[in-house]
Amino acid sequence: MRLPIIKHVVEFIEKNDEDYVVESMDLLEDLIEAKGIKDEELEVIGELLSNLSGALEVHKDVRSGTPKKEALNGFMKRVMGSIDS
């Protein structure tokens, strides 16, 4: 997961609508099942899905009143904590 990408997607959601991100995720999830997709391509799609999903989580925290910077930092701490476990 890349914090700059998550931050950018959160800003996109704020300007537009989270439905765009959800629909993009649906498309990427469907693409995974396409014939001929290489392992490297699957890794890129997986990374994009992780970043988009993270942005949705951060946006949910921001909507519930958490300042954006705090929501981003909290999300990354949770991610790093789950990796360390």
Side-chain angles (χ1 to χ4, degrees), residues 24 29 38 40 43 52 55 71:
S24 296
E29 289 171 354
K38 298 176 185 173
E40 298 84 22
E43 287 180 30
L52 294 173

Side-chain angles (χ1 to χ4, degrees), residues 27-46:
L27 172 64
L28 290 170
E29 289 171 354
D30 189 63
L31 236 151
I32 289 171
E33 298 173 17
K35 292 181 181 177
I37 296 285
K38 298 176 185 173
D39 287 343
E40 298 84 22
E41 294 165 331
L42 286 173
E43 287 180 30
V44 170
I45 292 170

Side-chain angles (χ1 to χ4, degrees), residues 1-15 21 25 46-62 68-80 83:
M1 291 192 178
R2 301 222 347 124
L3 190 58
I5 293 173
I6 292 172
K7 183 178 178 183
H8 188 82
V9 174
V10 168
E11 290 169 1
F12 174 87
I13 293 170
E14 290 170 347
K15 292 177 191 170
V21 175
M25 291 176 69
E47 186 67 23
L48 286 169
L49 284 167
S50 294
N51 287 314
L52 294 173
S53 177
L56 288 173
E57 281 189 49
V58 170
H59 178 67
K60 185 176 103 179
D61 289 345
V62 170
K68 189 189 314 183
K69 185 174 182 177
E70 189 178 315
L72 286 162
N73 288 335
F75 174 75
M76 289 310 290
K77 284 179 184 175
R78 287 193 305 272
V79 168
M80 298 308 289
I83 292 172

